Amino acid sequence: MSGADDELARLRDLYEHAPCGYLSLRPPGTITRVNQTFLDWTGYRADDLLDGTRFQELLPVGDRIYYETHFAPLLTMQGEVHEIAVDLKCADGERLPVLVNSTLRPEEPDGAPAVRVCVFRAIDRREYERELLHARRRARDSEARARQLAETLQRSFIPPALPRVPGLEAGGAYRPAGAGDEVGGDFYDLFEISPTRWGLVLGDVCGKGAGAAVVTSLARYTVRAVATEAESPADVLRKLNSSLLGHGAERFCTAVYAGIEYGPRGKPLLTVSLGGHPAPLLVASSGEVRRVGRPGDLLGILDDVVLADESVELRSGDSVLFFTDGVSEARRDREFFGEDRLAGLLSDARGLDAGAITGRIVDRVVGFQNGVPRDDIALVTLRVP
């Protein structure tokens, strides 16, 4: 055999046993030539396909419609089409996922136009795509479960509705940070101690997640348990500090506790103690705003904490806003919402009821952050009608 014959034989073998399927078609799709690789993959004999069979007849109904309405017109207009994903119907009825590349040859040696088709198996790619789809679904399901769990846990830290306190309106609100799929450390509670005494606590445990949730739950229920026997609001926070240290949670907490009772003139008397927490803001009916409470130590770090009480008698039209640092430290780029802005907003809203005041402030703080809070937000407003 001559060298030219050897080269021809090698080229023929390369065509027949290439790592991809080769076909030649007439423009209507009629198969005029097919290599052995394609036959091995699909299980057909050459005679099965060279008897006038059209390439599109090897496709399922959906892919065949796509071939005739998109693939063939694009090939005619552009002269080539690349990486079209379809299934091939094999001789045994199974389907083979493939990627198809096609080139339109305006004129073959016999003078007729032809279509060259190159087919690559895409079994691994399809399996990868299916697994990727399953992974995305699992991730979405996991995210949904995490968000539901976070919401469930957070609801246990926030009362569904604040109880009625004689002579006062009360409004509370909570907004989680980000998408709300992680448990935050903000909490509040308003509860009756006796027919003439009430307790209000609002706090913020550092961090997020399950660890913070444990400490948050401990803090809220510890305050309820010790409030009945504590001598003062500062004493309530001292007992909470001891409980946090005894638990060994290694997480600190800020909190404000307010005792509510009625003074000699029958007006609400508010006694406030601060454990490393921002002081609540009191707005009078005149619009003047001032802080209530003296700074105190963080809770859960030191054995002996410095805490103090401050009392104020509330008058008609007075409102007191309790809030976490997710309000005052809300940030937009490098700008903070700040207590001055908060005080101005509170003064402007002083004529509203407690629930409306709380709602307006939450809306403004969230809006300031373009609708996505960076930190949890918790507020409670008390107002004397």
Side-chain angles (χ1 to χ4, degrees):
M1 182 180 292
S2 68
D5 290 338
D6 288 342
E7 184 65 22
L8 184 61
R10 284 195 294 270
L11 290 175
R12 183 178 295 113
D13 182 73
L14 176 62
Y15 173 81
E16 292 293 343
H17 302 288
C20 56
Y22 284 124
L23 302 96
S24 295
L25 318 175
R26 294 299 180 200
T30 306
I31 300 172
T32 59
R33 191 170 182 180
V34 58
N35 75 341
Q36 189 60 45
T37 300
F38 186 88
L39 297 174
D40 292 341
W41 286 352
T42 59
Y44 292 108
R45 294 179 299 114
D47 292 344
D48 297 333
L49 302 180
L50 299 177
D51 62 352
T53 300
R54 294 188 300 166
F55 180 74
Q56 55 265 44
E57 293 172 7
L58 303 180
L59 306 178
V61 174
D63 289 341
R64 179 173 179 174
I65 293 172
Y66 178 80
Y67 180 92
E68 294 176 342
T69 60
H70 292 77
F71 188 102
L74 281 174
L75 184 61
T76 301
M77 289 188 296
Q78 300 177 176
E80 57 184 10
V81 179
H82 298 288
E83 296 186 353
I84 302 300
V86 296
D87 285 347
L88 290 174
K89 294 188 297 184
C90 298
D92 60 4
E94 294 295 321
R95 294 189 178 187
L96 176 67
V98 297
L99 293 176
V100 177
N101 293 337
S102 293
T103 302
L104 178 63
R105 303 281 294 182
E107 188 174 325
E108 289 289 276
D110 61 3
V115 176
R116 302 283 179 84
V117 178
C118 184
V119 177
F120 297 91
R121 286 199 296 186
I123 297 175
D124 293 341
R125 173 172 170 165
R126 289 291 178 88
E127 289 300 320
Y128 169 77
E129 289 174 346
R130 291 190 187 100
E131 180 56 33
L132 182 61
L133 180 60
H134 292 326
R136 286 175 176 172
R137 287 174 178 168
R138 290 194 297 268
R140 284 197 299 267
D141 292 344
S142 177
E143 184 179 348
R145 287 193 297 270
R147 184 178 290 109
Q148 184 177 18
L149 176 61
E151 291 173 352
T152 301
L153 283 173
Q154 200 70 57
R155 281 197 296 269
S156 70
F157 308 147
I158 305 295
L162 294 178
R164 288 183 173 275
V165 179
L168 286 175
E169 299 170 351
Y174 170 80
R175 292 291 185 277
D181 54 359
E182 194 171 12
V183 186
D186 287 15
F187 67 97
Y188 63 80
D189 198 9
L190 176 62
F191 54 93
E192 183 178 358
I193 301 172
S194 72
T196 59
R197 294 175 58 216
W198 295 76
L200 168 63
V201 63
L202 184 142
D204 183 2
V205 174
C206 75
K208 295 184 180 296
V214 171
V215 180
T216 303
S217 180
L218 172 68
R220 184 183 177 206
Y221 292 107
T222 295
V223 168
R224 276 201 173 224
V226 303
T228 56
E229 300 178 356
E231 298 176 357
S232 67
D235 193 33
V236 170
L237 296 186
R238 288 192 189 95
K239 294 180 186 298
L240 172 57
N241 183 65
S242 298
S243 179
L244 292 173
L245 292 173
H247 186 269
E250 298 184 355
R251 288 179 183 267
F252 67 83
C253 169
T254 72
V256 52
Y257 181 83
I260 306 167
E261 53 188 341
Y262 291 89
R265 295 184 293 179
K267 294 183 179 180
L269 183 65
L270 197 69
T271 303
V272 173
S273 184
L274 305 176
H277 199 85
L281 300 179
L282 185 154
V283 57
S285 58
S286 64
E288 180 185 356
V289 179
R290 69 179 182 91
R291 295 182 178 88
V292 179
R294 285 177 275 173
D297 292 337
L298 291 169
L299 308 178
I301 297 179
L302 305 173
D303 290 330
D304 296 319
V305 288
V306 177
L307 301 166
D309 293 316
E310 181 175 317
S311 298
V312 59
E313 187 178 67
L314 302 182
R315 301 178 180 180
S316 177
D318 285 354
S319 297
V320 185
L321 176 69
F322 299 78
F323 58 94
T324 56
D325 59 10
V327 177
S328 54
E329 296 181 9
R331 198 171 63 184
R332 180 175 58 199
D333 298 326
R334 297 184 178 181
E335 181 184 8
F336 287 94
F337 193 81
E339 284 198 16
D340 289 343
R341 194 192 310 264
L342 180 60
L345 180 57
L346 180 61
S347 179
D348 291 342
R350 66 186 183 278
L352 304 176
D353 62 38
I357 291 174
T358 304
R360 176 173 293 187
I361 293 173
V362 168
D363 290 344
R364 292 291 178 84
V365 173
V366 173
F368 181 79
Q369 300 174 91
N370 299 317
V372 183
R374 297 190 178 193
D375 194 5
D376 300 323
I377 295 171
L379 308 94
V380 174
T381 303
L382 298 179
R383 182 175 183 272
V384 182

